[in-house]
Amino acid sequence: MKPMEKSYYQHMSKQQWRAEKSRLKSFCRKYHCMMDKLEAMEENLRPGSPNYDGMPKAKNTESSVEKKAIRLSILQDNIDMLHLAAEQTDFKMAEIIVDYVSSERPSYNALKSEGKISVSRAVFFQRIDKFYRCLYQLRCESANCSILRQRIKQGKARKDWSHRKIR
């Protein structure tokens, strides 16, 4: 039997975990906004046209393309982090978990009646809690963004999320 590895959240009190979980919930609610921003930014990847009006201008040492690339990278990392946490929680229910945590939270009964969930209420909410724990761990690890990219390249994220847009 393998020894249990210590998780990031185990050193917290219940009150600290509740506060952190509240931050994670607000992060998850921004999922659709992040997806919209990512799509809009990917559509407009070309740099802006230069302004030749004959007036002298100060040199701009900042590149708007670089700024946009950094914002794109951060948005993509955040979206990938949500997807990866959902896949680590339950691969089959990953899309439902992301839908649940990122929207107005449809009731369990509504999801069950639509046939999206085949597990009991207790198991579903245990998986939601496990999702937040996985997400917290990924956010702690991804302070260095390359860790998240390495995990995705290693095949830890297997689902193709690019085909769908949820509303």
Side-chain angles (χ1 to χ4, degrees), residues 9-82:
Y9 57 86
Q10 289 179 341
H11 68 279
M12 293 183 186
S13 68
K14 286 184 179 182
Q15 187 177 8
Q16 288 173 324
W17 174 243
R18 275 191 221 117
E20 186 59 40
K21 194 171 176 181
S22 173
R23 284 186 217 106
L24 293 171
K25 287 178 181 180
S26 72
F27 174 75
C28 291
R29 285 187 210 111
K30 297 176 187 172
Y31 173 75
H32 295 298
C33 181
M34 289 188 285
M35 290 293 284
D36 291 341
K37 284 181 184 178
L38 185 69
E39 287 175 8
M41 288 176 74
E42 285 177 344
E43 288 175 7
N44 302 322
L45 276 181
R46 62 187 181 280
S49 61
N51 187 4
Y52 296 115
D53 60 359
M55 296 299 292
K57 304 274 190 270
K59 282 194 171 185
N60 187 359
T61 58
E62 299 173 354
S63 171
S64 61
V65 176
E66 289 173 4
K67 285 181 181 179
K68 190 176 279 191
I70 291 168
R71 286 193 312 260
L72 273 171
S73 176
I74 291 170
L75 279 172
Q76 190 62 55
D77 283 348
N78 288 341
I79 291 167
D80 290 344
M81 197 182 316
L82 280 167

